[in-house]
Amino acid sequence: MALNLLMLGPPGAGKGTQAERFAKAKGIPKISTGDILREAVANKTEIGLRAKAIMDRGELVNDEVMIGIVQERLGRPDAAGGFILDGFPRTVAQAAALDGIMTGHDPLIVIDIVVPEDELVRRLGTRTICRLCGETGPVGCEVGGACAKCGGRLVQRTDDNKAVVLERLKVYHRQTEPLVEFYRIRPTFRSVDGAQPPDRVAADLAAAIAAAAATGAAGVQG
Ligand code: AP5
């Protein structure tokens, strides 16, 4: 059975951190819509130019654009044996479109990473990313330090200032959190406590995915 995974959770929950680790361990692509958009912004493509102001305000890019991006990406050969989606879907319309795209494929395994709000604000306020390659700095890294991957300078993400973080959390509660109820009724849905050290979260996540995959393989459909 192909591991078709998606990570739910608020900004700062650790979706990207855990998706990266799991994808590497399993040899499947991590598909982050945030990374795809940031790359488009850096390359000044038409989508990037339109998305930048929206992202800098902490709002969501329009559903039609995001669904088109993900449909194209999931159609590439490397996603045929499984994938891990990070940051998509973020609205009920995106989730419904994803169900359409996944018709006839192995079931989606949905992992919701749960972290208290004060911890999310703390993490995003201290997160660094590399100016050159976009890699997230390890926990505890400071702005001005060097990226472990390419040596580039670590900076703060433009949407990680306090006001935008609070707006992103509001947008999450309004538009994305309803997806937890949308997916919770499926047998391949699991929640993971994300307020633990990263290695502990990774272990719980791997166990939750294995349990959900066993349910999916037993032919129980959502
Ligand atoms: P996106 O890049 O997806 O941002 P996000 O959802 O706000 O998520 P983050 O990347 O902030 O957090 P994360 O959960 O991945 O946490 P991370 O692992 O980095 O989207 C950005 C923007 O793009 C959106 O606001 C929107 O405008 C647009 N967009 C993207 N997708 C879209 C879509 N589908 N539809 C419409 N618009 C879309 O960790 C955070 C920090 O915590 C890091 O510093 C990390 O080192 C640290 N950390 C991680 N785990 C732990 C731990 N266990 N303990 C302590 N620290 C930890």
Side-chain angles (χ1 to χ4, degrees):
M1 184 182 124
L3 279 179
N4 299 330
L5 301 169
L6 75 85
M7 311 278 275
L8 285 180
K15 303 180 297 293
T17 303
Q18 296 297 334
E20 178 87 26
R21 285 174 74 142
F22 193 83
K24 266 195 191 132
K26 294 291 175 188
I28 55 176
K30 171 192 134 177
I31 301 173
S32 158
T33 44
D35 287 350
I36 292 171
L37 289 172
R38 278 185 289 279
E39 201 181 315
V41 170
N43 292 333
K44 298 192 167 59
T45 67
E46 198 190 321
I47 285 178
L49 291 173
R50 274 190 282 143
K52 182 168 179 9
I54 298 169
M55 295 169 78
D56 284 348
R57 289 196 301 270
E59 295 165 7
L60 297 185
V61 174
N62 120 0
D63 283 336
E64 204 183 323
V65 169
M66 298 314 302
I67 292 164
I69 287 174
V70 169
Q71 181 152 28
E72 185 280 325
R73 182 64 189 84
L74 289 179
R76 292 195 209 163
D78 67 338
F83 55 80
I84 181 158
L85 276 170
D86 158 24
F88 184 96
R90 261 180 151 94
T91 63
V92 172
Q94 291 180 15
L98 182 59
D99 278 346
I101 295 168
M102 294 306 295
T103 303
H105 294 266
D106 285 323
L108 277 171
I109 293 173
V110 181
I111 304 291
D112 182 37
I113 304 189
V114 182
V115 176
E117 195 128 325
D118 54 348
E119 170 66 2
L120 299 171
V121 173
R122 190 196 67 75
R123 285 184 190 178
L124 296 177
T126 54
R127 170 167 57 188
T128 55
I129 62 159
C130 174
R131 230 173 99 172
L132 292 182
C133 71
E135 184 87 352
T136 299
V139 177
C141 255
E142 287 186 8
V143 167
C147 170
K149 198 167 152 194
C150 75
R153 189 163 165 269
L154 295 173
V155 295
Q156 186 176 50
R157 223 168 85 172
T158 53
D159 58 351
D160 274 350
N161 72 69
K162 184 88 185 263
V164 179
V165 165
L166 295 180
E167 180 59 25
R168 284 160 64 200
L169 287 168
K170 267 197 221 157
V171 167
Y172 167 78
H173 290 306
R174 196 169 57 235
Q175 292 183 264
T176 307
E177 202 171 23
L179 294 184
V180 176
E181 296 317 311
F182 180 93
Y183 286 118
R184 193 188 293 284
I185 51 169
R186 301 189 185 187
T188 51
F189 173 92
R190 296 288 184 283
S191 281
V192 168
D193 175 8
Q196 315 178 75
D199 286 350
R200 195 60 246 163
V201 179
D204 286 1
L205 185 90
I209 291 170
T215 309
V220 190
Q221 297 295 319

